[in-house]
Amino acid sequence: MSHHVSIKDLPEGGEKFDPAKASGVITPMLGFGLLGLFGSLYYFAAKPAEFAYSWLFAFFFCFTFVVGGCFWILLHHASNSSWNVVIRRLFEHLANMVPVIFIFSLPILLMPSVRNALYEWMVHHQAAAEHATNGDVREGLHHMSESNPHMHILWAKYGYMNKTFWYIRFILYFLVLGHIARTLRGKSLKQEQDGDIKHTIKSRFFACRWLLFFALTATFAAVDWLMGLDYTWFSTMWGVYIFAGCAWSSMALMLLLVSYLRSLGYLRKVVTEEHYHLMGKLLFAFTVFWAYIAFSQYFLIWYANITEETRFYLLRNTEGWRWVSIALVIGHFVVPFVFLLQQQLKKKPAFICFWGVWVLSMHVLDIYWNVIPERGPSLGIGVLAPGAWVGDVVALVTIFCLSGWYFLRSLNKYSLYPWRDPRLIESVNVVN
Amino acid sequence: MSTTLKRVHGYLAEFESVHDLYHAAEHVRDAGYSRWDCHSPFPIHGLDVAMGVKRSKLPWIVFFGGAAGTTTAFLLQWITQNIIYPTVVQAKPTVGVWSLPAWFPVMFELTVLFSAFTTLFGLLALIGLPRLNHPIFASKRFAKFSDDTFFVCIEARDPKFSQEGTKSFLEKIGGKNVELVEDDI
Amino acid sequence: MEATATAPASSSAPATPRILEREPLVLNHRSYSWITNRICGIVENKQPGLWWALFIPSVILAGVMVFCFTYLIAAGVGVWGQKQPVAWAWDITNFVFWIGIGHAGTLISAILFLTRQKWRTSVNRAAEAMTIFAVMCAGVYPMFHVGRVWMVWFLAPIPNANAIWQNFKSPLLWDVFAVSTYFSVSVVFWYIGLVPDLATLRDRCKPGLKKLLYGMFALGWRGANRHWSHYETAYMLLAALSTPLVLSVHSVVSFDFATSVVPGWHTTIFPPYFVAGAIFGGFAMVLTLMIPCRKIYGLQDLITPKHIDNMAKIILLTGTIVGYAYCMELFMAYYSASPYEGAAFKLRTLDGPSVWYYYAMFFCNVISPQLFWFRWARHNMWTVMAVSMCVNAGMWYERYVIIVTTLEVHMTPGAWRTFHATWVDNWTFIGTFGFFMMNFLLFLRFLPVIAIGEVKGVLPESNPHHDPHGEKGVQEEDLMGYPDRHVPKAANA
């Protein structure tokens, strides 16, 4: 039983991060990021279609952390909980990476060569516009469906799947997430200024109201960017599936981040082994939740065996992708499940950090498995598109390292934990 | 039944609050007693540490109970679906392991079922209940353990137990109404 | 550090509070023995007249249920209203309805335990009892729906004279395993939780038959910490087992529908959607039972407005999740551009024969809980009861919409037929309510309705490190100046 910590034991003004201390990580991140950026520019110029998939994969991977960050702060406030006050500021920063991630999404938003390589329906829409008498896409699709029945699908869902609405939604997702992240961090920072407890309560009201919009944002972003890769495929579970991965991976990232900051000498007074245990438990919970959702989705499609739906899994359960699927079942669920099951081990930072790294690598694999199998068939370059994996790595390094560099550098602006939060003491002394 | 022969079970001391009990437990632990226990109407957080009680081994027992459940379910389905009574239904592979996803629900349920019953019986085995009687119930005051009173009982079987020393020790650490519990043989 | 160094000693609060305190879970500073007396008093004293006024009709209705099933055995399943194409009707609707109600009990006892929601202690016992009785009500429907109920043992994988084995690829068989496991584990969980409280009842009884029975079931419990240590581990393990179990049970129930190729049934979101719906409906039932209970038995200090408030919020949350699922279904029916999916949902929502059920469902489950956005609605017992009733009904409508209205307008329009319930359908369903209420009232009569030991454990003084002189904070109610905030009475004996 550790000593009870009171307000007097904690420094006034919290702890400020000094980026110079972390230069061992920040500088290489910038270096790798810039190298990657040159590589990416080359690939965008040389192989835009192939690289579009790499970029989407890398962008979406990093996007999931923003979604996860938003989720954890929303959940923290909405559930009126206290244990995670000490790590909330870091989640707030993670969520506030929205503008950075938005910059990395720009190639998808703005470059027609990228968009058209990813989303076949956009190509069809272009053809339809040329086909129609007065450029009316809908009418063109209707005509085209006489020779190609697939176009009927595009005609039927034109109200949702059209470019204008797609642009609007694209922007809207970032606005919603950005608004959530900015407001909650804003209230938290304001409390640091004036010490008013009411900010905590108002944050809760805000979080409750915005949870639904958050859920819709995460769902439709997943629908537009990933499900849209194959316009014929659909699954009602999709949003929940992607969300499960977001929450899981961002918790793993947080474990690593907290451990890194502790190794530099920060957060030592406020983050205890109990917090590791709690974070480990949530990591475990979402391991199981992801498995539950992933299994249910696979299982129902496998069992019913309806042609409209099976394409997604046919693609991923054949050729080389079959082994990736099996690796996901084992690596994404079975192995972390068995190891994270043990209570005492979750209190050991070194142990839990190992699983943090494991979880992140499995999350990479998960997103990879979701995005990349579409590339070969869509571009007609064979199932595995030999050699294209280099581009995938380049894109991942670019986006992850550059946003990581920005993230760590910007940590120094505010205290690492909300030092005037009225539940800070409850959080520091948490026992579970 | 009224016999003059009695067996000493141990000393029972009352404490008024959780706080007192907790500190008393720390003292008894530090004094090196081994056969003693605290009695309280509800579980007290951290008292295991104060008493020096080790973590329960129950999770390990349950883990193997659960594994037995998974295995049972798998074998049950494997044997009936593949060997004894293969049926061509649901357009799924009849023989072999590739109907495995369809077996998961039963595998899961039996894992939980076996684990739950292992938990129940493992718990009873570990705590040695049910039993018909216990010498400590000979104390009339002890009935209040399930209401609002906290007790420490140091048993006579403890090698450090002594009729005088233990009593004064319990009084010193704040025990009230220290009572020698004896039951009929 | 300078600022705090000049502040007065920690025993007196600083000018502006720096700590946001949690609401007390037991009001008016009640003592341990007050809690024991109040809860055991329910069992020990004579029951109020209202208890009898409810119990007698419940027994009669339970008898009606028995009669209906007897008649069904004598005459055949045809006495229920289902005919092709509606082969599953009220029986499966009611099965899913009842089993769903049970889920709130497990949520409170297991999931809220794992998430360390201490307020659960005041309601978990009754909710778990409710779970068990609801699962019993659920179980009878598929049992009789098999037609020849005396052959129901064929569901169990035991060798039989025909050398037939079950089809383990069938969702209906998974149901058998899921529901029976759920029932068994819920009983174990409930019983383990009861043991210390049975000991309390035992210790308060005069010698006699009652003491003998309570004593037998209390297993000789003596509150020893070496026992508590294993006991708490066991409780945690059961909670950790029940949490995925409760998810799996309603997921398996949803598989009954979702593994099929029926438009409107086959959709991948069914498992979590059913689970959320079950918890949603179950909480409504918990509130329906506990609000009168706390009033009749004077348990307002133990089941406080804060408890009701929390449960109302869970209803709001799960109701919104259910609403999300409804909307996702509609959206995907549109997005899939599948003519069958589209037609199924069009018939369900626009021009089918049972459209009003859909809107009744939507109103009860999605619209009515939105009232809980307002604090006054969560704190007024009448509005809470009204919304809970709406949700109870709405969750029944939901199952009816999914099961019956989908089958009414299945693939071949020539075979369409609207379902009409018969009197046996009606009275069997009403009868299960009687059976449920009868069991619940007997539970109130003979067992402690609130987990005595657990409630004592969440009092502040039950924490050995509780510091009564620590820095005082402020409670949200006072800080925000809510008009109906609780003002504690002076401590009384």
Short mmCIF file of all heavy atoms in Angstrom, two decimals, chain A residues 326-357:
data_model
loop_
_atom_site.label_atom_id
_atom_site.label_comp_id
_atom_site.label_asym_id
_atom_site.label_seq_id
_atom_site.Cartn_x
_atom_site.Cartn_y
_atom_site.Cartn_z
N ILE A 326 -5.25 -15.64 -40.63
CA ILE A 326 -5.01 -16.55 -39.50
C ILE A 326 -4.07 -15.89 -38.48
O ILE A 326 -4.29 -15.98 -37.27
CB ILE A 326 -4.45 -17.89 -40.01
CG1 ILE A 326 -5.54 -18.60 -40.81
CG2 ILE A 326 -3.98 -18.76 -38.85
CD1 ILE A 326 -5.10 -19.86 -41.51
N ALA A 327 -3.08 -15.17 -39.00
CA ALA A 327 -2.16 -14.47 -38.08
C ALA A 327 -2.93 -13.46 -37.24
O ALA A 327 -2.63 -13.27 -36.06
CB ALA A 327 -1.06 -13.78 -38.88
N LEU A 328 -3.92 -12.82 -37.83
CA LEU A 328 -4.71 -11.84 -37.08
C LEU A 328 -5.48 -12.52 -35.96
O LEU A 328 -5.55 -12.00 -34.83
CB LEU A 328 -5.71 -11.14 -38.00
CG LEU A 328 -5.26 -9.86 -38.66
CD1 LEU A 328 -6.38 -9.27 -39.47
CD2 LEU A 328 -4.81 -8.84 -37.61
N VAL A 329 -6.08 -13.65 -36.27
CA VAL A 329 -6.86 -14.35 -35.24
C VAL A 329 -5.95 -14.68 -34.06
O VAL A 329 -6.31 -14.45 -32.90
CB VAL A 329 -7.47 -15.64 -35.81
CG1 VAL A 329 -8.13 -16.44 -34.70
CG2 VAL A 329 -8.48 -15.32 -36.89
N ILE A 330 -4.77 -15.17 -34.38
CA ILE A 330 -3.87 -15.59 -33.29
C ILE A 330 -3.21 -14.39 -32.63
O ILE A 330 -3.20 -14.25 -31.41
CB ILE A 330 -2.83 -16.58 -33.85
CG1 ILE A 330 -3.54 -17.85 -34.31
CG2 ILE A 330 -1.77 -16.91 -32.80
CD1 ILE A 330 -2.70 -18.77 -35.12
N GLY A 331 -2.66 -13.50 -33.46
CA GLY A 331 -1.87 -12.40 -32.90
C GLY A 331 -2.71 -11.26 -32.35
O GLY A 331 -2.31 -10.59 -31.41
N HIS A 332 -3.86 -11.03 -32.96
CA HIS A 332 -4.69 -9.91 -32.53
C HIS A 332 -5.55 -10.30 -31.34
O HIS A 332 -5.94 -9.47 -30.54
CB HIS A 332 -5.59 -9.48 -33.70
CG HIS A 332 -6.03 -8.05 -33.65
ND1 HIS A 332 -6.82 -7.56 -32.66
CD2 HIS A 332 -5.81 -7.01 -34.48
CE1 HIS A 332 -7.07 -6.28 -32.89
NE2 HIS A 332 -6.46 -5.92 -33.97
N PHE A 333 -5.83 -11.61 -31.25
CA PHE A 333 -6.68 -12.03 -30.14
C PHE A 333 -6.02 -13.06 -29.22
O PHE A 333 -5.75 -12.77 -28.06
CB PHE A 333 -8.03 -12.56 -30.65
CG PHE A 333 -8.82 -13.22 -29.56
CD1 PHE A 333 -9.26 -12.50 -28.46
CD2 PHE A 333 -9.12 -14.57 -29.61
CE1 PHE A 333 -9.96 -13.09 -27.44
CE2 PHE A 333 -9.83 -15.18 -28.59
CZ PHE A 333 -10.25 -14.43 -27.51
N VAL A 334 -5.73 -14.25 -29.74
CA VAL A 334 -5.41 -15.37 -28.83
C VAL A 334 -4.21 -15.05 -27.95
O VAL A 334 -4.28 -15.15 -26.72
CB VAL A 334 -5.15 -16.66 -29.64
CG1 VAL A 334 -4.78 -17.81 -28.71
CG2 VAL A 334 -6.38 -17.03 -30.45
N VAL A 335 -3.12 -14.62 -28.56
CA VAL A 335 -1.88 -14.43 -27.79
C VAL A 335 -2.03 -13.32 -26.76
O VAL A 335 -1.80 -13.55 -25.56
CB VAL A 335 -0.70 -14.19 -28.75
CG1 VAL A 335 0.56 -13.89 -27.97
CG2 VAL A 335 -0.49 -15.40 -29.64
N PRO A 336 -2.44 -12.10 -27.15
CA PRO A 336 -2.60 -11.09 -26.08
C PRO A 336 -3.64 -11.47 -25.07
O PRO A 336 -3.51 -11.15 -23.88
CB PRO A 336 -3.01 -9.81 -26.84
CG PRO A 336 -3.36 -10.23 -28.20
CD PRO A 336 -2.69 -11.52 -28.47
N PHE A 337 -4.66 -12.20 -25.48
CA PHE A 337 -5.70 -12.62 -24.53
C PHE A 337 -5.09 -13.46 -23.42
O PHE A 337 -5.29 -13.21 -22.23
CB PHE A 337 -6.78 -13.40 -25.26
CG PHE A 337 -7.81 -14.02 -24.34
CD1 PHE A 337 -8.85 -13.26 -23.85
CD2 PHE A 337 -7.72 -15.34 -23.96
CE1 PHE A 337 -9.80 -13.81 -23.00
CE2 PHE A 337 -8.65 -15.90 -23.09
CZ PHE A 337 -9.69 -15.13 -22.63
N VAL A 338 -4.31 -14.45 -23.82
CA VAL A 338 -3.76 -15.37 -22.83
C VAL A 338 -2.80 -14.63 -21.88
O VAL A 338 -2.83 -14.83 -20.67
CB VAL A 338 -3.06 -16.55 -23.52
CG1 VAL A 338 -2.28 -17.37 -22.52
CG2 VAL A 338 -4.08 -17.41 -24.24
N PHE A 339 -1.98 -13.76 -22.44
CA PHE A 339 -0.97 -13.12 -21.59
C PHE A 339 -1.55 -12.00 -20.73
O PHE A 339 -1.14 -11.82 -19.59
CB PHE A 339 0.20 -12.63 -22.43
CG PHE A 339 1.11 -13.75 -22.82
CD1 PHE A 339 0.94 -14.39 -24.04
CD2 PHE A 339 2.08 -14.22 -21.96
CE1 PHE A 339 1.74 -15.45 -24.40
CE2 PHE A 339 2.89 -15.28 -22.30
CZ PHE A 339 2.73 -15.90 -23.53
N LEU A 340 -2.49 -11.25 -21.31
CA LEU A 340 -3.05 -10.14 -20.53
C LEU A 340 -4.04 -10.62 -19.48
O LEU A 340 -4.51 -9.85 -18.66
CB LEU A 340 -3.73 -9.14 -21.46
CG LEU A 340 -2.79 -8.32 -22.34
CD1 LEU A 340 -3.59 -7.50 -23.33
CD2 LEU A 340 -1.92 -7.41 -21.50
N LEU A 341 -4.35 -11.91 -19.52
CA LEU A 341 -5.30 -12.46 -18.56
C LEU A 341 -4.77 -12.38 -17.13
O LEU A 341 -5.52 -12.33 -16.18
CB LEU A 341 -5.57 -13.92 -18.94
CG LEU A 341 -6.85 -14.61 -18.51
CD1 LEU A 341 -8.06 -13.78 -18.85
CD2 LEU A 341 -6.97 -15.97 -19.18
N GLN A 342 -3.46 -12.36 -17.00
CA GLN A 342 -2.89 -12.47 -15.66
C GLN A 342 -2.80 -11.13 -14.97
O GLN A 342 -2.15 -10.21 -15.44
CB GLN A 342 -1.50 -13.11 -15.75
CG GLN A 342 -1.59 -14.51 -16.28
CD GLN A 342 -0.23 -15.09 -16.55
OE1 GLN A 342 0.58 -15.19 -15.66
NE2 GLN A 342 0.01 -15.45 -17.79
N GLN A 343 -3.47 -11.08 -13.83
CA GLN A 343 -3.65 -9.81 -13.14
C GLN A 343 -2.32 -9.19 -12.72
O GLN A 343 -2.06 -8.03 -13.00
CB GLN A 343 -4.52 -10.05 -11.91
CG GLN A 343 -4.98 -8.78 -11.26
CD GLN A 343 -5.73 -9.08 -9.98
OE1 GLN A 343 -5.31 -9.87 -9.16
NE2 GLN A 343 -6.85 -8.41 -9.82
N GLN A 344 -1.49 -9.98 -12.07
CA GLN A 344 -0.28 -9.40 -11.49
C GLN A 344 0.66 -8.86 -12.55
O GLN A 344 1.34 -7.86 -12.35
CB GLN A 344 0.43 -10.46 -10.65
CG GLN A 344 -0.27 -10.74 -9.34
CD GLN A 344 -0.59 -9.48 -8.57
OE1 GLN A 344 0.30 -8.77 -8.14
NE2 GLN A 344 -1.86 -9.17 -8.40
N LEU A 345 0.65 -9.52 -13.72
CA LEU A 345 1.57 -9.08 -14.76
C LEU A 345 1.19 -7.71 -15.31
O LEU A 345 2.03 -6.97 -15.79
CB LEU A 345 1.60 -10.12 -15.89
CG LEU A 345 2.24 -11.46 -15.51
CD1 LEU A 345 2.26 -12.39 -16.70
CD2 LEU A 345 3.65 -11.26 -15.01
N LYS A 346 -0.11 -7.40 -15.24
CA LYS A 346 -0.55 -6.12 -15.80
C LYS A 346 -0.02 -4.95 -14.99
O LYS A 346 -0.07 -3.81 -15.43
CB LYS A 346 -2.07 -6.07 -15.86
CG LYS A 346 -2.60 -6.83 -17.08
CD LYS A 346 -4.09 -6.68 -17.23
CE LYS A 346 -4.83 -7.48 -16.23
NZ LYS A 346 -5.90 -8.32 -16.72
N LYS A 347 0.46 -5.21 -13.79
CA LYS A 347 1.00 -4.12 -12.98
C LYS A 347 2.47 -3.87 -13.28
O LYS A 347 3.07 -2.98 -12.70
CB LYS A 347 0.83 -4.45 -11.50
CG LYS A 347 -0.61 -4.47 -11.08
CD LYS A 347 -0.76 -4.55 -9.58
CE LYS A 347 -2.23 -4.52 -9.20
NZ LYS A 347 -2.47 -4.59 -7.79
N LYS A 348 3.06 -4.68 -14.13
CA LYS A 348 4.49 -4.52 -14.43
C LYS A 348 4.66 -3.72 -15.71
O LYS A 348 4.34 -4.20 -16.79
CB LYS A 348 5.12 -5.91 -14.60
CG LYS A 348 5.08 -6.73 -13.32
CD LYS A 348 6.09 -7.85 -13.39
CE LYS A 348 6.30 -8.47 -12.02
NZ LYS A 348 5.13 -9.18 -11.52
N PRO A 349 5.19 -2.49 -15.59
CA PRO A 349 5.31 -1.64 -16.77
C PRO A 349 6.05 -2.31 -17.93
O PRO A 349 5.62 -2.19 -19.08
CB PRO A 349 6.05 -0.42 -16.25
CG PRO A 349 5.71 -0.36 -14.82
CD PRO A 349 5.56 -1.79 -14.36
N ALA A 350 7.12 -3.01 -17.64
CA ALA A 350 7.89 -3.60 -18.74
C ALA A 350 7.05 -4.61 -19.50
O ALA A 350 7.03 -4.66 -20.73
CB ALA A 350 9.15 -4.25 -18.20
N PHE A 351 6.32 -5.41 -18.74
CA PHE A 351 5.47 -6.42 -19.35
C PHE A 351 4.40 -5.78 -20.23
O PHE A 351 4.21 -6.14 -21.39
CB PHE A 351 4.82 -7.24 -18.24
CG PHE A 351 3.74 -8.18 -18.70
CD1 PHE A 351 4.05 -9.43 -19.18
CD2 PHE A 351 2.40 -7.79 -18.66
CE1 PHE A 351 3.04 -10.30 -19.60
CE2 PHE A 351 1.40 -8.65 -19.08
CZ PHE A 351 1.73 -9.90 -19.55
N ILE A 352 3.76 -4.79 -19.64
CA ILE A 352 2.62 -4.21 -20.35
C ILE A 352 3.12 -3.43 -21.58
O ILE A 352 2.43 -3.35 -22.59
CB ILE A 352 1.77 -3.36 -19.38
CG1 ILE A 352 0.35 -3.24 -19.87
CG2 ILE A 352 2.35 -2.03 -19.11
CD1 ILE A 352 -0.48 -4.44 -19.56
N CYS A 353 4.32 -2.88 -21.49
CA CYS A 353 4.86 -2.17 -22.65
C CYS A 353 5.15 -3.12 -23.79
O CYS A 353 4.94 -2.79 -24.95
CB CYS A 353 6.14 -1.42 -22.28
SG CYS A 353 5.76 0.07 -21.41
N PHE A 354 5.64 -4.30 -23.45
CA PHE A 354 5.85 -5.28 -24.51
C PHE A 354 4.55 -5.52 -25.26
O PHE A 354 4.49 -5.53 -26.49
CB PHE A 354 6.37 -6.60 -23.92
CG PHE A 354 6.41 -7.71 -24.93
CD1 PHE A 354 7.43 -7.77 -25.86
CD2 PHE A 354 5.40 -8.66 -24.97
CE1 PHE A 354 7.45 -8.78 -26.81
CE2 PHE A 354 5.41 -9.67 -25.92
CZ PHE A 354 6.44 -9.73 -26.84
N TRP A 355 3.47 -5.66 -24.49
CA TRP A 355 2.18 -5.92 -25.14
C TRP A 355 1.66 -4.68 -25.85
O TRP A 355 0.90 -4.80 -26.82
CB TRP A 355 1.18 -6.49 -24.14
CG TRP A 355 1.61 -7.88 -23.80
CD1 TRP A 355 2.20 -8.30 -22.65
CD2 TRP A 355 1.59 -9.01 -24.67
NE1 TRP A 355 2.55 -9.62 -22.74
CE2 TRP A 355 2.18 -10.09 -23.98
CE3 TRP A 355 1.14 -9.23 -25.97
CZ2 TRP A 355 2.33 -11.36 -24.53
CZ3 TRP A 355 1.29 -10.49 -26.52
CH2 TRP A 355 1.88 -11.54 -25.80
N GLY A 356 2.05 -3.51 -25.38
CA GLY A 356 1.70 -2.30 -26.12
C GLY A 356 2.29 -2.34 -27.52
O GLY A 356 1.61 -2.05 -28.51
N VAL A 357 3.56 -2.70 -27.60
CA VAL A 357 4.21 -2.79 -28.91
C VAL A 357 3.54 -3.88 -29.75
O VAL A 357 3.26 -3.69 -30.94
CB VAL A 357 5.71 -3.10 -28.74
CG1 VAL A 357 6.36 -3.33 -30.08
CG2 VAL A 357 6.38 -1.96 -28.00
#
